[in-house]
């Protein structure tokens, strides 16, 4: 699928943290820098050193345009690529809360459009992206999107755009929940008498290690939890608090994820 990019070119609109992570992955996969055109008003020194076409005239019909600008900047940025709509150039957006319908209004309903939701672990090649397309997006388009997004992690397909707000709330915003867990766990360690630096080291390593174990183990998360919980032991005492049906993690995370999903729906209106 990447031969399509090599032959016709790729346009990256916006090259911040997520765009840079993706570009680094594409170049590592063998996409020639000469096939990549980047529009970025504030390029980093790293971007300038990659050999890509930077803020230069765009190809007439690139294989794909990846929209990697923040939603609030979309209105100002899209006019730079609007002339590429209406043909078989695929538009792939990673902007949260911006619907396919809004892009169809800009580029035309005949334009193939795919909406994706990646997350920040893409910066270390451990992200996960969910994708869904409009009726004009072909199987080949979806495969191309998967090939490009897989440079920074896993890719899953959704049943439709109606699932995107839930995905945003779980995996898009989810890394922030985990980072806050690290903060809270370290603070709890301090409250029990640990020095701040040591508490943070223990919390960070514990969460990262448990995540890697969950990733590599064939067992479910529930079973992994059971494996480290001795009846009547210290872990069981803590889990009695964390798993409380009214005040524990489950109802708290349901409320948090719902709040994020509701906000995503508001942004999409």
């Amino acid at each position: 699928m990447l031969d399509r990019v090599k032959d016709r070119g790729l346009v990256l609109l916006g090259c911040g943290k997520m765009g840079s992570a993706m570009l680094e992955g594409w170049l590592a996969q063998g996409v020639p820098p000469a096939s990549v055109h980047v529009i970025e008003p504030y390029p980093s020194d790293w971007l300038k050193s990659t050999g890509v076409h930077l803020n230069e005239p765009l190809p007439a019909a690139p294989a794909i345009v990846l929209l990697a600008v923040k939603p609030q900047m979309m209105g100002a940025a899209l006019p730079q690529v609007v002339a590429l709509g209406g043909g078989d150039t695929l538009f792939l957006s990673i902007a949260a809360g911006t619907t396919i319908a809004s892009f169809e209004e800009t580029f035309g309903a005949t334009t193939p459009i795919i909406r994706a939701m990646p997350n920040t672990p893409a910066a270390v090649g451990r992200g996960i992206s969910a994708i869904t397309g409009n009726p004009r997006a072909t199987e080949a388009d979806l495969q191309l999107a998967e090939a490009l997004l897989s440079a920074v992690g896993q890719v899953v397909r959704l049943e439709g755009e109606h699932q995107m707000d839930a995905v945003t709330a779980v995996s898009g915003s989810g890394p922030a929940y985990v980072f806050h867990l690290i903060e809270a766990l370290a603070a709890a360690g301090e409250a029990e008498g640990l020095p701040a630096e040591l508490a943070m080291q223990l919390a960070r390593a514990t969460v990262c290690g448990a995540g890697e174990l969950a990733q590599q183990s064939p067992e479910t998360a529930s079973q992994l939890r059971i494996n480290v919980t001795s009846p009547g032991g210290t872990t069981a005492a803590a889990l009695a608090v964390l798993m409380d049906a009214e005040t524990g993690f489950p109802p708290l995370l349901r409320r948090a994820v719902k709040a994020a999903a509701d906000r995503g729906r508001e942004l999409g209106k």
Side-chain angles (χ1 to χ4, degrees):
M1 294 306 300
L2 294 181
D3 287 342
R4 185 171 156 191
V5 169
K6 295 176 183 177
D7 293 341
R8 295 174 50 192
L10 177 154
V11 175
L12 177 60
L13 181 62
C15 198
K17 291 182 179 179
M18 188 65 71
S20 295
M22 291 184 173
L23 177 58
E24 186 174 6
W26 301 335
L27 297 177
Q29 284 186 343
V31 173
S35 296
V36 180
H37 295 254
V38 178
I39 302 174
E40 172 52 57
Y42 307 105
S44 65
D45 291 338
W46 172 82
L47 177 57
K48 294 175 183 178
S49 72
T50 58
V52 302
H53 298 280
L54 180 58
N55 298 324
E56 297 178 8
L58 303 178
I64 185 169
V65 176
L66 194 143
L67 307 173
V69 297
K70 290 179 169 54
Q72 59 269 31
M73 299 171 60
M74 200 67 75
L78 291 186
Q80 299 174 88
V81 294
V82 69
L84 302 177
D88 64 352
T89 293
L90 171 64
F91 284 77
L92 172 61
S93 168
I94 61 171
T98 308
T99 64
I100 290 174
S102 69
F103 289 120
E104 289 177 333
E105 291 178 3
T106 300
F107 300 116
T110 62
T111 303
I113 298 169
I114 293 176
R115 184 179 170 191
M117 174 48 61
N119 61 6
T120 55
V124 292
R126 294 298 299 273
I128 186 166
S129 303
I131 64 172
T132 187
N134 70 350
R136 294 290 297 182
T138 65
E139 175 60 27
D141 290 331
L142 289 165
Q143 289 181 9
L144 176 57
E146 287 176 335
L148 291 172
L149 291 168
S150 67
V152 292
Q154 302 177 50
V155 184
V156 296
R157 293 192 192 186
L158 303 182
E159 294 175 0
E161 194 176 16
H162 63 282
Q163 295 180 319
M164 191 60 79
D165 292 316
V167 167
T168 301
V170 173
S171 60
S173 301
Y177 314 158
V178 177
F179 301 147
H180 186 51
L181 170 62
I182 293 173
E183 291 179 302
L185 187 56
E190 284 188 68
E192 290 299 319
L194 292 174
E197 185 175 345
L198 176 58
M200 178 56 72
Q201 181 181 358
L202 290 169
R204 185 189 293 259
T206 297
V207 172
C208 293
E212 187 62 27
L213 178 59
Q215 176 71 19
Q216 294 190 23
S217 175
E219 295 182 310
T220 64
S222 294
Q223 187 58 52
L224 290 171
R225 170 180 53 78
I226 292 169
N227 291 348
V228 296
T229 308
S230 301
T234 57
T235 306
L239 287 176
V241 176
L242 293 175
M243 297 178 71
D244 186 274
E246 295 184 359
T247 62
F249 259 179
L252 179 63
L253 281 179
R254 279 197 298 271
R255 294 198 304 273
V257 169
K258 185 179 186 305
D262 287 346
R263 181 55 179 156
R265 295 182 187 103
E266 292 172 3
L267 292 173
K269 292 180 180 178

